[in-house]
Amino acid sequence: MENILIEKQDNIAIVTINRPEKLNALNKATIQELHDGFKSLNEDKSVKVIIITGSGEKAFVAGADISEFANFSVENGGLLAAKGQEILFDYVQNLSTPVIAAVNGFALGGGLELAMACHFRVASDNAKMGLPEVTLGVIPGYGGTQRLPQLVGKGRAMEMIMSAAMIDAETAKNYGLVNHVVPQVELLEFTKGIASKIARNSSVAIAKAIASINANYKDDINGFEVEIKNFGASFGTEDFKEGTTAFLEKRKAVFPGK
């Protein structure tokens, strides 16, 4: 892989987008590498949580690589969005392994869309976020018009997208776009601390929780019914046996890999 780095620490994997000279902008090659990396980590039973971040101190991802699509036709533009959503943005949202975005610096356009596709976000205090696509005569195409209103509400999403304005980390936290804001030097360690708490819990149960929560945001699917089904299915797992046995024996549960 030329554009991303993957490091494993205990049960946590850290994926770093490594194009600092381009402020980690997403091009086709990087999107494909991210897909391949996430797929491999999701299949790795030892990896219970994934953190994604950007290299350097300036940017998580400063946007898409505009030079790749500046001359696209209507058809090519539609295919670009469809393919990107399929192999990365929707893929990450529905991954059974939890994905946390550690947003360091700029998260603009496709970068913010990638962060929003993750299961939740932690930001450095110098982070700036926005969807500036309308300044280029286009709209967000990697899920931004759908996920931003879900996270911050329709009115704020309308304002952010139409004005193309950036917001700072504290505003993003107040909007509900990020869960935590910490000094940049503490960002990874803080995020790893949350990841460690998650990693101690049942990966099987967490995967079912992710699927159940996501079901609420899908058309023609009753999220309550999905929850009931996944709740019931949990009773047939080894993790349920270990968790309840440990509770009754007054000890900490030791869950196997996913």
Side-chain angles (χ1 to χ4, degrees):
M1 297 202 179
E2 297 180 359
N3 300 303
I4 69 171
L5 305 172
I6 296 177
E7 176 188 2
K8 297 178 187 176
Q9 301 175 1
D10 299 320
N11 297 119
I12 301 167
I14 301 172
V15 177
T16 303
I17 300 169
N18 189 34
R19 300 184 76 213
E21 74 286 352
K22 296 283 188 180
L23 293 180
N24 304 320
L26 295 177
N27 59 3
K28 286 183 183 178
T30 305
I31 287 173
Q32 184 63 55
E33 285 185 23
L34 285 168
H35 170 81
D36 295 341
F38 278 115
K39 185 174 186 293
S40 174
L41 293 171
N42 196 49
E43 293 169 353
D44 186 336
K45 294 191 183 224
S46 71
V47 174
K48 291 195 166 190
V49 186
I50 301 168
I51 297 170
I52 182 167
T53 193
S55 63
E57 299 180 352
K58 292 183 178 179
F60 172 72
V61 172
D65 196 329
I66 297 167
S67 63
E68 283 196 336
F69 59 79
N71 298 312
F72 269 19
S73 66
V74 171
E75 182 181 5
N76 288 337
L79 290 172
L80 177 74
K83 184 70 171 175
Q85 289 194 33
E86 176 189 354
I87 69 170
L88 182 58
F89 299 85
D90 289 351
Y91 187 80
V92 168
Q93 176 174 294
N94 294 300
L95 208 68
S96 58
T97 304
V99 182
I100 309 171
V103 181
N104 52 315
F106 291 108
L108 304 176
L112 180 54
E113 289 174 302
L114 177 57
M116 291 192 295
C118 298
H119 297 123
F120 61 91
R121 291 143 293 283
V122 179
S124 60
D125 54 5
N126 69 328
K128 301 283 187 184
M129 301 171 215
L131 295 175
E133 285 86 349
V134 295
T135 67
L136 302 174
V138 70
I139 69 169
Y142 287 144
T145 65
Q146 305 305 298
R147 292 189 180 98
L148 187 61
Q150 290 170 2
L151 290 164
V152 308
K154 181 180 177 182
R156 283 172 172 160
M158 286 282 194
E159 180 180 353
M160 285 180 65
I161 290 170
M162 290 191 288
S163 69
M166 288 189 292
I167 60 173
D168 61 22
E170 282 299 330
T171 302
K173 182 182 176 184
N174 291 337
Y175 281 6
L177 185 53
V178 303
N179 290 21
H180 307 277
V181 176
V182 296
Q184 186 169 49
V185 293
E186 300 174 14
L187 178 64
L188 265 185
E189 286 305 312
F190 182 89
T191 308
K192 283 191 283 187
I194 298 174
S196 295
K197 292 179 182 178
I198 295 170
R200 290 195 289 268
N201 297 322
S202 165
S203 293
V204 174
I206 286 171
K208 293 184 186 304
I210 290 170
S212 300
I213 293 167
N214 283 341
N216 186 51
Y217 297 95
K218 295 179 180 177
D219 292 336
D220 302 321
I221 292 180
N222 186 318
F224 290 99
E225 291 179 358
V226 174
E227 179 186 278
I228 291 166
K229 178 182 176 182
N230 285 335
F231 176 77
S234 299
F235 283 73
T237 67
E238 291 299 317
D239 280 23
F240 174 75
K241 292 178 184 176
E242 167 60 15
T244 52
T245 301
F247 178 82
L248 294 171
E249 293 178 352
K250 295 182 172 54
R251 62 174 174 83
K252 289 186 178 180
V254 180
F255 296 108
K258 51 191 185 187

